[in-house]
Amino acid sequence: MASTACFMIVSRNDIPIYEAEVGTALKKEDAAHQHQFILHAALDIVQDLAWTTSAMFLKAIDRFNDLVVSVYVTAGHTRLMLLHDSRNDDGIKSFFQEVHELYIKILLNPLYLPGSRITSSHFDTKVRALARKYL
Amino acid sequence: MEPDVSIETSSMIRIAVLPIGPIPPSHFRDYVSMLVRHHKIELSTISSFYTEHQKSPFAQQPWDSGTLRFKFMVSGSPPSPWEDFQSNRKILAVIGICHCPSSPDLDSVTEQFSAVSKGYSSSLVQRCFAFCPGDSQLEDDRKKGGNLILFPPADRQTQEFHLQTMVQDIAASLLMEFEKWVLQAESAGTILKTPLDSQASLSSEEVIKAKKRRLGRAQKTIGDYCLLAGSPVDANAHYSTALELARLTGDYFWYAGALEGRVCALLMDRMGQKDPVLEEEVKYQYNSVILHYRKSFIQDNAQRVSPLSFELEATLKLARFLCRRELAKEVVELLTAAADGAKSLIDASDRLILYVEVARLFGTLGYHRKSAFFSRQVAQLYLQQENRLAAMSAMQVLAMTTKAYRVQSRASIAKHSLPNEIGSTHTDGGKIHHHSVVSLFESQWNTLQMVVLREILLSAVRAGDPLAAWSAAARLLRSYYPLITPAGQNGLAIALANSADRLPSGTRCADPALPFIRLHSFPLYPSQMDIVKRNPVREDWWAGSAPSGPFIYTPFSKGEPNHNSKQELIWIVGEPVQVLVELANPCGFDLMVDSIYLSVHSGNFDAFPISVNLPPNSAKVIMLSGIPTKVGPMTIPGSQGLVLSDPFRCCGSAKLKNVSVPSISVVPPLPLLVSHVVGGDGAVILYEGEIHDVWISLANAGTVPVEQVHISLSGKNQDSVISVAYETLKSALPLKPGAEVTIPVTLKAWQLGLVDLDTAATKNFSGSTVRQGKDGSSPMLLIHYAGPLENSEEPPTNGSVVPPGRRLVVPLNICVLQGLSFVKARLLSMEIPAHVGGNPPKPVHVENSSSEEVTGSESKTDRLVKIDPYRGSWGLRFLELELSNPTDVVFEISVSVQLENSNNEDSDSPVDRAAAEFGYPKTRIDRDYTARVLIPLEHFKLPVLDGSFFLKDSQTNGTTGKSSSFSEKNAKAELNASIKNLISRIKVRWQSGRNSSGELNIKDAIQSALQTSVMDVLLPDPLTFGFRLAESCSGQDAKLDSPKESDYQVQSTSSKGSVLAHDMTPMEVLVRNNTKEMIRMSLNITCRDVAGENCIEGKKATVLWAGVLSGVTMEVPPLQEIKHSFSLYFLVPGEYTLLAAAVIDEANDILRARAKTNSPDEPIFCRGAPFHLRTRSPTVASLGFKLAAINVNLDSLPKTPEVFSLDFRIWFQNAAIQP
């Protein structure tokens, strides 16, 4: 598992709807901010890159210092973004695909308003489990 | 590293611009701005200053199209260790700037300048520009000359031209210096070193290598000078040689440098034209440059110096060259690579410059988030420096990121949006702002936003900028208070207070802080001051303009569709207005609002500031007030943009709570009526039915006279207002300012409904008998009034503008208490037997036992007792009302009946008509007692008994078709009309105490009383029996022959009222059939004496008879009568009663229904009314009073037997005097 990783789902309106620090490294408040800053900045690149390929998994699209940003764009332009320091493309791809499935299940919930914050603790648990499994 | 580098940087000549002597900063800026305009000098313009001393080394110089580029380094710069490597890094010229008025001694200026320029050893040309010299200084200068150049005071244009000439002179001098340098370098050769080269002593092998390299480096440097001299072709030639030599000697660093120079020369040659081929070429070459810089990395001196910064610079140069949206991907890669290099940079300032450049390039590319990210990195680097200047820089850099993170200050939005959209209105700006405010709450990037704001706050505090600190703290607190701990909130509050202390008083920050202000409402004028649009065309000018009901919107109103969307307010000059706003302090500290007021920019408003104290976590609605001072439209700018997401309930939802701001216009003064009820404005307490006068005083409190007025009623119970003295008000017009008029209004309290009674009962029970009139059951007077149609002072304009009118609503606060209440009402009837052939009895008094006094006149009372033409007897009907008094006061009841005198021939005189109302003695009802009041009714019956009334009961005789049902309806209607007519003539008044009196509403009671017994009271008996003396038939016939006169009154009395005893008296019984069918029957006649004994039969028979008296079988055709004659012989004088009765054979359904029998076998027995017969002895004439027992017709009583609690007696006076 990666020592540092930050996972975030950004809605089509560029609003984060889910975020989780999934790294094994000790959590620091400042670092968490920094991770979000990096992911926020990477949106600029995603917005252009998403239209150049038909693949949902955009691989590593951005980096800052040692941290790499990998992005997976769903058909509804929801972006699953992962900030990580490991180079495990296959694992990341599988992670994204499984999270995508979870996200679709969330979307199918009639009580969930698309674009709103995901507050399901079940989802959170599952995502963290997936992170342990693949990253 | 250097900021702002590009490929073209290699061709720029650096000139240090230095202030000499004391010089005001503003002047220095002014002079520098004049100077920097000349950063590009055409070669063609300097030819006049250029003199070719020897053959120019720049053989290919394009004199017609080439340029020299200057880069002015204001305030100079320290010499770079890399200036041998890139000649453009050298300061090649020094320009001093001197402001003569502040440095009078030109000699010292010259000295200072030469001292300063000595510091720039690389400089080839020095000039000192002295501006604004005095006359003496000009004189002085003429003697000397030299580097000091004076700019005599002149207009700006001349000065600029002068300056341009001087710069061109410098350019020419530089060009000549370059030539000199190149020639020297070619001949002698120079030793060129970089910090990269080993400082240690060289080994012999390396010395040889170095010699070879030296040639290449010299060529590269000559190439640099060619570029600076604006000759790209020459440069290219030299660079090519240099490349060749550098490649051979493995001098990668210089190779890369030469390559860079060649690209620059290439671009210069193309003169800025870009095409894809060129782009590809540049990209290729620069990639090679970057590669070679990387190659030149030497491990052993990496700690001290590294070519990395050149590699990054080259990367940035290429990125800047390519920086276009279409090539975003490549640029991003370059920039990411450059940013990656940052951590390997040794010098912190290099890293700073790198991030600045990366941020700039991302910004140019349109990647604002990326740009903001790197800007923040820059700010962090600045903040690490921990000094004030760095903090200021950090603050400025962070301020640039606010847009990307959407935490802009309002001030910056205003600054940016205004020049862009000139035509945009204020509201547009507001809208943008709404968006950003909302997005703060909506966006979950709030972590980032808070971090950025916190950093701005930190840097502002460190930089000592209280306004910026205040703004940042305000934004942080206002937008993110739910995410900040109470301790953090307190910290921010302290920061706000500290900043505020350091700000000069009166400073305004565009960013709002706490409290949250939300427009609550614009209260309309109170209903007493309502403004109504006036329609000058219509007489009823207020119609259609005022809402005509409790509903704000009705689908039936024909107003414009957009009328409801935008509320319009009219304010009046000189009349105070209020606006309600809600203030909320969601934070955990006390908030003191020193002054809050309506700020109106249109300048026609005087506001009254107030101060508020808001405790933690609280909200208050406060009223801001002021007085409009001038006519015109008014905008309240604060409220325009005052659409806030609700701070307490907003997160997650995308809804905006939108309070529409009405458009406000101020109109000239209007009249203002103020009303008050004379004798206090409290509710008038009335008992049900009480009639009361209220005086309302209207005063004009405005400054304009009232010229038109109209009163109307609205609200519930409008019929309780009996009269309004409208004329009084009309006659008082025009009502001058200050004038007052009092109008009386007559009220009659309404009946309480069931619900009201209940509430009243509970209220009574709880002790408060006074119910407030605020439950909306009271009626209101609507007074529409207006001033003059046109202002006399102003000339009549197009006529379209009519000053509006106003509406005054005067609620008539009536509190109705339960008064007398009905328990029961019923109809009683009384029969007085008629006399056979005698004078009709004249009743004298109707004495009510419960009344003390006897009033009334005989003649009036007489008329109530009437002959029933169908029954043939005297009848008297009473309506008995049982009233209870649940109140705690005493009521006195008086009944009056308006007599019907239209067909009374005797009372033609107007006096009689006026007096046709009869007052009965008063009945007193004590508190908590019940009493009965008798109201005599006039008798009436219908002429024919037919099936129409029994239709409901007898559906079996279905032969009656539609025509009959029509007649039935008619009959019913007639019946109802007569009932109504009857009721309307009865008035039951009451009086309580000295001054409250009223009227009982008995309509319903009577109606119900009549309905139950209507059959018996109104329908005639099927048969009518009458007796008469056979000889005197002519006079008596009338009573049976004219049945149509329902109230037939026997006036024509026969002369003989009685018969003689001891004499055979021939008599006739008349039987009339009142039905439409033939009736067969057997008739019986009996005679009773005073004691009620049958005096025809039996042992003690006192009457003898001739003829048939019993079992007379007769058939009476419909609506006809039949006579049966017999004779009686009275043995004893006295009173006798003749009774006729018949048993009807084969009765039909109608008769059965009338008789209320069910079984078809039961014989129908029909009994006539008793007739009195008085026999007298032939000698004695008598005059006396007779007491008659009251014969109550039990048929008209309800079937349930009841105790007749009220006993009454009626005295009949026999007024007939027998001779």
Side-chain angles (χ1 to χ4, degrees):
Chain A
M1 190 164 174
S3 61
T4 312
C6 176
F7 177 65
M8 196 173 233
I9 300 179
V10 180
S11 79
R12 54 178 302 169
N13 306 321
D14 286 358
I15 296 168
I17 55 176
Y18 173 80
E19 61 219 38
E21 287 287 333
V22 290
T24 50
L26 285 172
K27 274 175 200 153
K28 282 194 296 177
E29 187 78 351
D30 277 355
H33 295 162
Q34 184 71 355
H35 294 165
Q36 287 202 18
F37 271 110
I38 295 168
L39 289 172
H40 178 256
L43 284 174
D44 268 337
I45 294 165
V46 179
Q47 83 182 9
D48 279 357
L49 216 58
W51 304 103
T52 60
T53 171
S54 60
M56 285 187 168
F57 182 42
L58 301 183
K59 304 201 174 127
I61 54 129
D62 193 16
R63 63 183 191 276
F64 182 72
N65 294 344
D66 298 326
L67 300 167
V68 183
V69 180
S70 292
V71 176
Y72 182 94
V73 184
T74 70
H77 212 68
T78 301
R79 281 143 294 178
L80 315 183
M81 305 181 82
L82 182 73
L83 184 75
H84 55 96
D85 53 3
S86 64
R87 297 257 173 202
N88 177 12
D89 255 8
D90 290 341
I92 290 167
K93 191 176 181 180
S94 312
F95 172 76
F96 276 143
Q97 281 167 346
E98 301 225 2
V99 173
H100 188 195
E101 276 191 37
L102 286 176
Y103 175 65
I104 287 168
K105 282 177 189 164
I106 288 281
L107 278 183
L108 287 174
N109 182 347
L111 300 179
Y112 174 75
L113 183 73
S116 67
R117 222 176 150 68
I118 298 173
T119 50
S120 158
S121 58
H122 182 249
F123 181 81
D124 187 60
T125 321
K126 281 282 189 68
V127 167
R128 285 174 196 279
L130 287 174
R132 271 193 295 280
K133 184 175 168 191
Y134 290 112
L135 303 180
Chain B
M1 278 187 80
E2 288 176 348
D4 212 13
V5 287
S6 66
I7 295 177
E8 285 89 352
T9 308
S10 309
S11 63
M12 288 176 182
I13 302 162
R14 283 190 191 182
I15 298 172
V17 178
L18 307 168
I20 304 299
I23 177 164
S26 60
H27 281 89
F28 184 64
R29 272 201 297 278
D30 189 34
Y31 299 144
V32 168
S33 71
M34 280 206 293
L35 187 61
V36 293
R37 232 170 279 159
H38 310 289
H39 57 92
K40 221 171 182 182
I41 307 293
E42 303 277 326
L43 280 175
S44 53
T45 60
I46 64 169
S47 52
S48 53
F49 303 97
Y50 173 77
T51 44
E52 195 170 20
H53 297 286
Q54 41 200 314
K55 188 164 169 29
S56 170
F58 311 129
Q60 311 282 334
Q61 196 156 37
W63 275 100
D64 46 350
S65 61
T67 53
L68 292 186
R69 286 152 185 244
F70 289 161
K71 187 174 181 179
F72 296 101
M73 313 292 280
V74 178
S75 304
S77 73
S80 163
W82 303 92
E83 43 179 48
D84 272 359
F85 175 60
Q86 284 171 332
S87 303
N88 64 301
R89 287 178 190 259
K90 290 177 190 165
I91 299 289
L92 293 168
V94 177
I95 295 176
I97 286 178
C98 168
H99 185 63
C100 291
S102 50
S103 339
D105 188 0
L106 288 180
D107 290 333
S108 77
V109 169
T110 319
E111 270 171 37
Q112 277 180 45
F113 176 64
S114 55
V116 169
S117 50
K118 272 206 184 83
Y120 296 92
S121 56
S122 57
S123 71
L124 304 171
V125 176
Q126 296 88 25
R127 295 284 189 280
C128 186
F129 294 163
F131 293 89
C132 304
D135 289 344
S136 59
Q137 288 169 323
L138 284 169
E139 284 290 313
D140 202 22
D141 178 61
R142 229 160 264 158
K143 294 175 222 158
K144 278 190 267 171
N147 284 337
L148 190 66
I149 295 153
L150 296 180
F151 289 81
D155 60 279
R156 180 97 184 173
Q157 208 178 348
T158 321
Q159 244 180 6
E160 276 174 12
F161 183 72
H162 193 173
L163 189 66
Q164 188 186 2
T165 317
M166 287 303 126
V167 174
Q168 283 166 355
D169 175 51
I170 293 174
S173 309
L174 276 170
L175 188 58
M176 290 186 281
E177 290 294 330
F178 292 159
E179 283 174 2
K180 225 183 280 172
W181 192 92
V182 169
L183 286 174
Q184 191 196 349
E186 274 181 333
S187 58
T190 49
I191 297 164
L192 299 160
K193 273 192 162 182
T194 64
L196 215 53
D197 296 318
S198 169
Q199 304 292 311
S201 57
L202 303 171
S203 62
S204 60
E205 191 188 346
E206 280 170 330
V207 172
I208 299 162
K209 202 177 172 184
K211 269 184 189 168
K212 280 185 190 166
R213 285 184 175 184
R214 197 171 64 195
L215 215 57
R217 291 180 183 191
Q219 283 298 321
K220 194 256 170 198
T221 313
I222 292 168
D224 284 350
Y225 275 99
C226 292
L227 269 186
L228 294 175
S231 173
V233 182
D234 287 314
N236 192 30
H238 288 286
Y239 281 135
S240 299
T241 322
L243 281 172
E244 229 14 62
L245 292 168
R247 195 165 51 81
L248 287 173
T249 54
D251 199 357
Y252 298 120
F253 189 66
W254 284 80
Y255 181 90
L259 208 51
E260 250 189 297
R262 201 168 72 171
V263 177
C264 181
L266 182 67
L267 286 180
M268 265 184 89
D269 199 30
R270 296 293 177 90
M271 309 236 283
Q273 290 162 349
K274 276 187 184 178
D275 56 70
V277 184
L278 178 71
E279 222 160 59
E280 277 303 308
E281 175 69 16
V282 170
K283 217 194 299 178
Y284 172 77
Q285 300 257 21
Y286 248 92
N287 281 329
S288 165
V289 168
I290 294 161
L291 196 70
H292 280 91
Y293 275 131
R294 203 171 295 159
K295 261 190 191 170
S296 61
F297 182 77
I298 304 157
Q299 197 55 52
D300 52 345
N301 60 8
Q303 292 303 313
R304 185 174 51 87
V305 69
S306 151
L308 181 64
S309 60
F310 285 89
E311 181 195 335
L312 297 179
E313 255 181 32
T315 313
L316 292 176
K317 281 176 183 171
L318 179 58
R320 173 156 290 150
F321 178 73
L322 297 174
C323 195
R324 291 211 316 272
R325 198 70 211 191
E326 301 85 75
L327 302 171
K329 200 177 172 191
E330 286 166 73
V331 177
V332 166
E333 267 167 28
L334 287 170
L335 292 176
T336 311
D340 272 349
K343 57 180 180 291
S344 318
L345 281 172
I346 303 150
D347 192 352
S349 64
D350 277 356
R351 204 178 302 155
L352 195 70
I353 291 164
L354 177 71
Y355 282 154
V356 168
E357 289 301 302
V358 170
R360 275 187 192 171
L361 288 172
F362 271 126
T364 324
L365 204 58
Y367 283 9
H368 296 296
R369 285 171 282 200
K370 271 279 182 196
S371 171
F373 175 80
F374 284 104
S375 300
R376 186 176 159 265
Q377 297 295 321
V378 171
Q380 284 193 317
L381 290 174
Y382 273 128
L383 282 176
Q384 281 167 12
Q385 292 180 20
E386 305 220 346
N387 65 53
R388 198 180 152 195
L389 285 175
M392 274 165 103
S393 308
M395 198 180 78
Q396 280 160 6
V397 172
L398 282 171
M400 290 190 285
T401 68
T402 52
K403 197 178 173 202
Y405 292 117
R406 301 190 172 176
V407 285
Q408 290 134 293
S409 156
R410 261 197 205 186
S412 71
I413 296 169
K415 219 188 290 166
H416 286 109
S417 62
L418 279 179
N420 293 344
E421 348 164 0
I422 294 151
S424 75
T425 58
H426 187 86
T427 30
D428 285 345
K431 264 179 203 158
I432 295 162
H433 182 70
H434 304 167
H435 177 74
S436 66
V437 162
V438 170
S439 62
L440 287 184
F441 264 110
E442 298 294 295
S443 158
Q444 294 298 318
W445 293 111
N446 46 30
T447 323
L448 309 191
Q449 291 166 339
M450 285 170 69
V451 168
V452 169
L453 283 177
R454 207 178 295 147
E455 282 169 356
I456 292 176
L457 175 60
L458 178 69
S459 58
V461 167
R462 217 182 269 176
D465 185 342
L467 188 59
W470 198 95
S471 158
R475 277 179 277 168
L476 200 53
L477 197 56
R478 186 182 176 93
S479 307
Y480 306 101
Y481 70 89
L483 307 172
I484 303 173
T485 58
Q489 290 179 356
N490 274 321
L492 287 173
I494 291 164
L496 279 172
N498 287 343
S499 310
D501 283 345
R502 297 175 59 190
L503 283 169
S505 72
T507 311
R508 284 181 186 231
C509 181
D511 292 303
L514 293 174
F516 287 96
I517 301 173
R518 187 169 58 211
L519 180 59
H520 189 270
S521 58
F522 282 92
L524 297 169
Y525 275 103
S527 55
Q528 272 70 19
M529 307 161 75
D530 224 352
I531 295 168
V532 179
K533 254 186 211 159
R534 183 139 64 142
N535 185 349
V537 186
R538 295 179 61 171
E539 180 66 27
D540 48 345
W541 46 266
W542 57 90
S545 51
S548 60
F551 303 108
I552 294 166
Y553 171 79
T554 63
F556 308 110
S557 68
K558 44 184 191 218
E560 300 91 84
N562 59 354
H563 179 75
N564 295 311
S565 62
K566 190 81 177 173
Q567 193 190 353
E568 295 210 356
L569 273 187
I570 298 174
W571 286 356
I572 299 165
V573 169
E575 291 187 16
V577 292
Q578 286 90 30
V579 176
L580 291 181
V581 294
E582 193 176 351
L583 301 187
N585 171 23
C587 289
F589 49 83
D590 266 343
L591 194 63
M592 180 75 199
V593 180
D594 274 340
S595 160
I596 179 167
Y597 59 92
L598 287 175
S599 167
V600 174
H601 292 325
S602 41
N604 50 356
F605 192 77
D606 280 349
F608 307 138
I610 58 168
S611 66
V612 189
N613 194 19
L614 283 171
N617 298 312
S618 67
K620 267 184 195 170
V621 175
I622 58 164
M623 191 171 73
L624 302 177
S625 53
I627 295 180
T629 54
K630 255 184 266 166
V631 177
M634 178 162 356
T635 49
I636 299 180
S639 61
Q640 293 269 359
L642 216 67
V643 182
L644 283 178
S645 35
D646 193 333
F648 300 100
R649 268 165 277 152
C650 169
C651 285
S653 76
K655 273 184 206 158
L656 271 179
K657 193 159 183 188
N658 207 333
V659 179
S660 69
V661 177
S663 55
I664 300 164
S665 54
V666 180
V667 298
L670 296 177
L672 174 63
L673 278 186
V674 176
S675 75
H676 75 269
V677 177
V678 177
D681 276 333
V684 182
I685 300 167
L686 299 177
Y687 290 106
E688 284 173 306
E690 183 168 345
I691 295 168
H692 189 77
D693 274 357
V694 172
W695 279 270
I696 291 171
S697 146
L698 297 171
N700 186 1
T703 55
V704 177
V706 177
E707 299 213 335
Q708 296 180 7
V709 115
H710 179 267
I711 300 180
S712 55
L713 290 171
S714 88
K716 287 181 182 172
N717 297 313
Q718 285 185 24
D719 51 353
S720 64
V721 178
I722 294 172
S723 72
V724 178
Y726 183 31
E727 288 309 315
T728 315
L729 184 55
K730 267 275 199 213
S731 61
L733 292 179
L735 201 60
K736 291 259 158 45
E740 193 170 345
V741 62
T742 306
I743 55 167
V745 175
T746 309
L747 302 173
K748 181 187 172 191
W750 58 90
Q751 298 292 313
L752 291 175
L754 275 177
V755 184
D756 292 338
L757 282 175
D758 285 349
T759 53
T762 54
K763 288 257 170 92
N764 272 334
F765 188 72
S766 65
S768 81
T769 48
V770 179
R771 302 195 312 120
Q772 287 303 311
K774 289 200 175 162
D775 52 0
S777 56
S778 296
M780 290 180 286
L781 284 185
L782 290 187
I783 303 178
H784 288 93
Y785 61 97
L789 263 180
E790 266 163 24
N791 258 337
S792 52
E793 297 145 30
E794 293 171 19
T797 45
N798 348 357
S800 58
V801 186
V802 179
R806 298 189 104 160
R807 180 177 51 193
L808 170 66
V809 179
V810 185
L812 298 166
N813 282 330
I814 306 171
C815 177
V816 178
L817 293 182
Q818 192 185 1
L820 285 181
S821 66
F822 277 101
V823 178
K824 208 184 299 162
R826 63 184 179 185
L827 214 52
L828 304 177
S829 78
M830 190 169 75
E831 265 183 317
I832 303 156
H835 281 255
V836 178
N839 279 332
K842 289 202 171 179
V844 182
H845 296 302
V846 177
E847 192 185 42
N848 202 322
S849 65
S850 60
S851 75
E852 306 296 316
E853 52 181 330
V854 174
T855 54
S857 73
E858 290 174 15
S859 62
K860 302 283 160 44
T861 322
D862 291 350
R863 293 174 188 154
L864 289 167
V865 181
K866 287 167 190 172
I867 285 285
D868 180 350
Y870 303 104
R871 197 147 166 82
S873 67
W874 294 99
L876 188 57
R877 303 229 169 231
F878 292 96
L879 181 67
E880 186 205 51
L881 302 176
E882 194 176 342
L883 301 171
S884 80
N885 179 5
T887 64
D888 47 7
V889 289
V890 176
F891 281 92
E892 282 186 342
I893 309 293
S894 62
V895 177
S896 69
V897 176
Q898 199 180 7
L899 294 178
E900 191 174 18
N901 48 13
S902 57
N903 48 7
N904 191 336
E905 291 89 352
D906 286 353
S907 56
D908 279 347
S909 67
V911 183
D912 266 9
R913 279 182 196 277
E917 211 168 279
F918 174 67
Y920 287 90
K922 288 180 179 172
T923 309
R924 182 189 158 96
I925 308 179
D926 283 326
R927 42 182 293 195
D928 294 332
Y929 273 88
T930 302
R932 294 181 185 192
V933 178
L934 281 179
I935 305 168
L937 296 183
E938 286 186 55
H939 203 104
F940 59 98
K941 282 211 175 187
L942 293 173
V944 182
L945 173 71
D946 62 9
S948 58
F949 295 111
F950 306 107
L951 193 71
K952 277 187 230 159
D953 311 322
S954 57
Q955 289 288 344
T956 44
N957 60 349
T959 50
T960 52
K962 280 176 185 172
S963 59
S964 76
S965 75
F966 178 72
S967 71
E968 284 155 20
K969 269 184 193 164
N970 261 356
K972 275 257 169 172
E974 201 182 325
L975 175 70
N976 284 335
S978 58
I979 292 175
K980 217 169 264 176
N981 179 37
L982 175 70
I983 292 166
S984 66
R985 280 186 280 141
I986 301 171
K987 287 212 157 60
V988 182
R989 298 224 169 79
W990 56 260
Q991 194 169 4
S992 170
R994 197 171 278 269
N995 50 12
S996 69
S997 64
E999 209 168 275
L1000 280 182
N1001 188 359
I1002 53 166
K1003 236 170 229 183
D1004 295 340
I1006 296 175
Q1007 200 116 24
S1008 63
L1010 289 179
Q1011 290 296 347
T1012 52
S1013 53
V1014 69
M1015 294 299 173
D1016 300 321
V1017 174
L1018 298 176
L1019 292 181
D1021 290 335
L1023 294 171
T1024 310
F1025 304 96
F1027 293 94
R1028 65 180 179 193
L1029 301 177
E1031 318 101 316
S1032 60
C1033 58
S1034 62
Q1036 303 289 70
D1037 273 349
K1039 64 181 174 187
L1040 289 173
D1041 286 350
S1042 58
K1044 275 168 196 164
E1045 283 188 8
S1046 60
D1047 59 345
Y1048 182 79
Q1049 202 169 353
V1050 182
Q1051 293 283 334
S1052 57
T1053 55
S1054 75
S1055 56
K1056 291 186 193 173
S1058 56
V1059 295
L1060 291 171
H1062 308 293
D1063 198 2
M1064 182 62 82
T1065 313
M1067 298 187 83
E1068 284 170 346
V1069 61
L1070 290 158
V1071 181
R1072 184 185 158 83
N1073 182 359
N1074 287 327
T1075 68
K1076 287 176 176 173
E1077 312 271 328
M1078 171 78 82
I1079 293 180
R1080 288 199 297 130
M1081 59 177 179
S1082 71
L1083 178 72
N1084 286 309
I1085 298 163
T1086 54
C1087 184
R1088 294 172 196 277
D1089 60 13
V1090 179
E1093 298 285 321
N1094 190 340
C1095 46
I1096 290 175
E1097 288 159 359
K1099 291 172 186 169
K1100 291 182 182 176
T1102 52
V1103 178
L1104 307 177
W1105 79 94
V1108 191
L1109 286 188
S1110 61
V1112 187
T1113 306
M1114 41 190 355
E1115 280 189 16
V1116 192
L1119 301 176
Q1120 296 281 318
E1121 60 184 43
I1122 276 183
K1123 269 193 286 191
H1124 172 73
S1125 304
F1126 60 95
S1127 297
L1128 293 177
Y1129 185 89
F1130 298 96
L1131 298 174
V1132 181
E1135 287 271 352
Y1136 294 93
T1137 304
L1138 287 175
L1139 272 174
V1143 175
I1144 298 170
D1145 302 332
E1146 298 163 22
N1148 60 13
D1149 289 336
I1150 294 171
L1151 290 174
R1152 283 185 192 287
R1154 179 70 180 90
K1156 293 174 183 166
T1157 57
N1158 293 323
S1159 67
D1161 309 332
E1162 205 178 316
I1164 305 295
F1165 183 71
C1166 193
R1167 196 167 62 95
F1171 271 68
H1172 280 206
L1173 188 70
R1174 200 184 302 126
T1175 58
R1176 55 180 165 89
S1177 60
T1179 53
V1180 182
S1182 64
L1183 171 70
F1185 294 91
K1186 302 281 179 183
L1187 170 65
I1190 291 169
N1191 190 355
V1192 175
N1193 187 349
L1194 289 170
D1195 288 351
S1196 66
L1197 286 174
K1199 286 196 171 166
T1200 51
E1202 245 179 54
V1203 179
F1204 218 42
S1205 64
L1206 189 70
D1207 67 325
F1208 54 91
R1209 286 157 289 168
I1210 297 180
W1211 291 86
F1212 294 97
Q1213 186 188 39
N1214 192 346
I1217 300 168
Q1218 296 293 332

